């Protein structure tokens, strides 16, 4: 079909989905040097195991405009270890129950460095694979292609059609905001190189 192996190849393997927790919380009494990034790993032997790893970012520790005075915001997530299939076919009540139960892995990770985070919380929302599918329009709640390092590289930015370029998580250097921005820069440079 001419697109196999290119940036237009829809058959590329996809990552599993994520769980996310967004939370605004009272910062009173917390240390002034609260770190912006935290990684909680339960077992280093398999970093890809479900519920084993949680990343947490608290951007308001560095950017005071990210939250009102006296508050912080955080984003916690599991790194592409949440199976989409566990979320399909549920009625609304079962979905809400599963969402609350699965959110526990995120809350418990945060409690390792902010033990009373639930009492401090003034707003929280859990995002599921269905959230990603609906609001990000990502089939199966995926975050993009899942080419394994050392087995295959992400395709380049040239499409198999004249004057068509691709950028985003399906192209080199891969998934994640910094990588996607890098792919956009690469395409811009290909179209209008800096002299």
């Amino acid at each position: 079909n001419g697109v196999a192996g290119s940036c237009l190849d829809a058959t590329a393997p996809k990552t599993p989905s994520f769980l996310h927790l967004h939370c605004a919380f009272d910062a009173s009494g917390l240390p002034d040097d609260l770190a912006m990034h935290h990684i909680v790993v339960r077992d280093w032997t398999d970093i890809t195991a479900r519920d084993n790893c949680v990343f947490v970012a608290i951007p308001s520790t560095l950017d005071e405009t990210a939250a009102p005075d006296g508050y912080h915001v955080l984003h916690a997530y599991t790194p592409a270890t949440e199976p989409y299939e566990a979320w399909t076919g549920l009625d609304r009540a079962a979905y809400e129950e599963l969402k609350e139960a699965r959110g526990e892995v995120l809350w418990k990770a945060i409690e390792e460095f902010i033990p009373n985070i639930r009492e401090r919380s003034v707003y929280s929302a859990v995002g599921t694979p269905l959230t990603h599918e609906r609001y990000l329009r990502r089939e199966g709640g995926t975050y993009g292609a899942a080419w394994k390092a050392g087995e295959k590289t992400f395709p380049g930015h040239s499409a198999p059609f004249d004057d068509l370029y691709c950028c985003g998580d399906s192209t080199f250097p891969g998934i994640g905001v910094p990588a996607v921005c890098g792919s956009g820069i690469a395409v811009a440079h290909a179209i209008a190189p800096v002299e």
Side-chain angles (χ1 to χ4, degrees):
N1 66 13
V3 299
S6 80
C7 58
L8 299 176
D9 188 350
T11 65
K14 304 290 188 265
T15 66
S17 195
F18 289 52
L19 281 175
H20 289 264
L21 171 65
H22 295 273
C23 179
F25 61 98
D26 185 337
S28 60
L30 291 175
D32 290 337
D33 64 349
L34 180 64
M36 179 181 165
H37 288 113
H38 302 261
I39 302 173
V40 177
V41 179
R42 305 284 179 221
D43 180 358
W44 285 96
T45 60
D46 185 3
I47 198 76
T48 64
R50 190 177 188 195
D51 299 347
N52 186 41
C53 184
V54 175
F55 290 87
V56 182
I58 309 172
S60 51
T61 62
L62 296 180
D63 179 359
E64 63 187 30
T65 66
D69 287 342
Y71 292 87
H72 279 308
V73 291
L74 68 75
H75 172 218
Y77 64 95
T78 58
T81 57
E82 188 66 16
Y84 175 79
E85 298 74 24
W87 295 88
T88 59
L90 303 174
D91 64 26
R92 190 66 180 174
Y95 173 77
E96 292 298 331
E97 184 178 315
L98 183 58
K99 186 162 78 165
E100 184 172 342
R102 294 295 302 133
E104 280 298 304
V105 68
L106 303 169
W107 286 111
K108 287 178 180 174
I110 299 162
E111 287 170 342
E112 293 202 15
F113 55 93
I114 306 175
N116 61 347
I117 184 62
R118 295 180 209 227
E119 293 80 33
R120 291 175 172 275
S121 176
V122 295
Y123 173 81
S124 66
V126 173
T128 72
L130 298 183
T131 309
H132 295 276
E133 184 173 60
R134 179 177 180 187
Y135 292 103
L136 302 179
R137 301 186 56 80
R138 298 307 299 258
E139 183 179 350
T142 185
Y143 259 42
W147 299 116
K148 290 188 177 181
E151 291 181 13
K152 183 169 172 67
T153 60
F154 280 80
H157 303 98
S158 295
F161 306 102
D162 291 341
D163 300 324
L164 178 63
Y165 296 87
C166 300
C167 63
D169 59 24
S170 65
T171 65
F172 181 83
I175 66 170
V177 173
V180 168
C181 292
S183 77
I185 292 168
V187 167
H189 182 71
I191 294 169
V194 176
E195 302 284 330

